[in-house]
Amino acid sequence: MKDTRKSLIFTSLGHFANDGNFLLFPTLIAYYKVIPHVSIAFLGVMAIIYNLLSGLLGPSIGKLADRIDRDGLLIFAGIFLEALSAILFGFVFLYEAYATYIILVASVILGAGQAFYHPIGATILAFTYGKQESSSAMGINGSFGSLGRALIPSLLVYSMLFFGHFGGLIVISIYTLIAAFIIFTGLNFFKRTKYIKIDREKHRKNTVEDKASRAEYAKYSKFLYILTAIVFIRAFFLIGTVTFTPDYFDDVFHSKIIMGDIVTISFLGAVFGQPYFGTVVKKHGGKFTIAVTTVASTLFFGLLLLTDNVYLVTVIYLLYAIFAFTSFPVLLGYVAQTIPQKFSTRSNALVWSFGNIVGGAVGIAIVTLLLYVNISLYTSLVVMLVFSIISIIMLPMLPSKQKLQDLSAT
């Protein structure tokens, strides 16, 4: 089997497992909030912790990945930690008196686990497919992440219904562990040294890049900082709302089954949206694609808040998900087109881990604060739309495709 195909298959499985667990805690909020002494504000803080930890650890893990050339092992480590967190989340239902302590520990472990996949998975695809084809591969790969986000909420809800709350989370943990070992085995073939020439002595000693390399990286810093700033503000809205949307659906429809079904049906839209927008990045560039997806997701989320009809909500959230959850091929495909391979993981980590994840943690903090001061969840979600509008206003700051090409040529 060709390296390109193997990298796509096993990183896609990694994306499926990783992003499915991304919605693990938001789905559990609807269950945890009824446990005595567990408030929605506390759960919001826990969501902040695991997102913030994921974002802050990402750049360090990216640098580690650049140094040790063991990408498959690192992805395995992250997903293994996610499996461990699922077990701990299950213990909450067995030991409710210690629920806050268990949720805290599980959230920290989940956040650490979530820090690994995205910058490393994107790097593997960028190396095996190259600059021009990697965004399309990331789109296909990202669709499996969306499939994970779509299926895991319903799998979790129905597993808890049939096997009990603790047993349902054990099911999630077992599947995650199996996936981790399959991914580790499947990615054993990948070594960066097969694709680029590395100064092994510098690689071994982990020395600082020479002045020429630093100067080369500095050429791209303005672009990276602008892109990260836009992603940071945009993530306030995207992650801040997606964390509490399952609870919002539970409040509106008074059914955890309906809540899980809406999330599953809607996130299936991103399964098709990710490969499509990966192709759009390839044809029209990242700036255009970020603009289209940001404007459309803002519009559809606004429409979502105008109705409580279950069928309309499902259709609108489906359309929203098609545009909103395309960040992997759009953002990291954009970076792959622009930044040299030797800087790929640290650049991915800056945009994804700091911009998307830390920005998302700030968004969760804003919603949590609003809820803490007794502002309704509905009003809090309306407030979050403002940040998406701000990110739209910032889009003209991104350099044009021609300017980026000129930058690469210098």
Side-chain angles (χ1 to χ4, degrees), residues 392-408:
I392 292 171
I393 294 171
M394 294 172 67
L395 285 171
M397 297 171 61
L398 285 171
S400 66
K401 188 175 182 179
Q402 184 59 51
K403 285 185 177 180
L404 290 172
Q405 289 174 346
D406 293 343
L407 186 66
S408 298

Side-chain angles (χ1 to χ4, degrees), residues 9-254:
I9 289 172
F10 293 106
T11 59
S12 294
L13 177 57
H15 211 159
F16 179 91
N18 185 85
D19 280 25
N21 288 320
F22 171 74
L23 287 181
L24 181 64
F25 188 75
T27 304
L28 288 171
I29 286 176
Y31 294 87
Y32 287 160
K33 70 179 182 180
V34 298
I35 295 176
H37 310 300
V38 178
S39 68
I40 190 70
F42 168 78
L43 295 172
V45 171
M46 294 303 100
I48 295 166
I49 286 174
Y50 82 73
N51 276 277
L52 191 60
L53 187 61
S54 171
L56 293 176
L57 284 177
S60 296
I61 291 170
K63 289 180 181 178
L64 176 65
D66 282 341
R67 188 174 80 245
I68 68 172
D69 197 14
R70 297 293 303 276
D71 296 274
L73 177 63
L74 290 174
I75 290 178
F76 165 82
I79 295 175
F80 179 87
L81 288 173
E82 293 171 15
L84 178 59
S85 74
I87 296 174
L88 290 174
F89 281 128
F91 278 120
V92 171
F93 299 107
L94 299 181
Y95 306 100
E96 289 189 357
Y98 304 98
T100 54
Y101 303 105
I102 299 171
I103 292 171
L104 172 60
V105 174
S107 297
V108 169
I109 293 174
L110 177 62
Q114 288 269 309
F116 286 79
Y117 177 75
H118 287 99
I120 298 174
T123 293
I124 291 172
L125 294 174
F127 271 76
T128 54
Y129 278 86
K131 281 192 173 188
Q132 296 305 313
E133 299 299 326
S134 61
S135 62
S136 296
M138 288 180 198
I140 297 170
N141 175 282
S143 72
F144 283 88
S146 295
L147 187 62
R149 285 195 299 263
L151 295 181
I152 294 308
S154 281
L155 176 61
L156 175 60
V157 169
Y158 284 106
S159 293
M160 293 171 77
L161 180 65
F162 288 107
F163 301 109
H165 292 168
F166 177 72
L169 281 156
I170 292 298
V171 169
I172 298 298
S173 178
I174 290 172
Y175 118 79
T176 305
L177 279 172
I178 292 171
F181 282 102
I182 293 173
I183 293 161
F184 177 66
T185 303
L187 290 177
N188 264 340
F189 80 94
F190 180 79
K191 295 291 181 185
R192 300 185 190 203
T193 49
K194 292 173 63 176
Y195 303 94
I196 58 172
K197 184 177 180 180
I198 294 177
D199 184 330
R200 293 181 179 275
E201 187 64 19
K202 283 176 62 179
H203 191 74
R204 183 182 66 81
K205 291 182 178 180
N206 189 30
T207 56
V208 179
E209 293 171 319
D210 60 25
K211 292 182 180 180
S213 292
R214 289 199 301 269
E216 184 183 359
Y217 185 67
K219 291 194 305 180
Y220 301 94
S221 60
K222 183 178 179 181
F223 159 71
L224 285 171
Y225 293 147
I226 292 172
L227 178 60
T228 301
I230 293 171
V231 172
F232 191 81
I233 301 296
R234 179 175 179 253
F236 287 9
F237 163 67
L238 286 179
I239 310 300
T241 55
V242 75
T243 301
F244 292 95
T245 301
D247 188 41
Y248 171 71
F249 291 152
D250 186 44
D251 287 345
V252 172
F253 302 113
H254 308 291

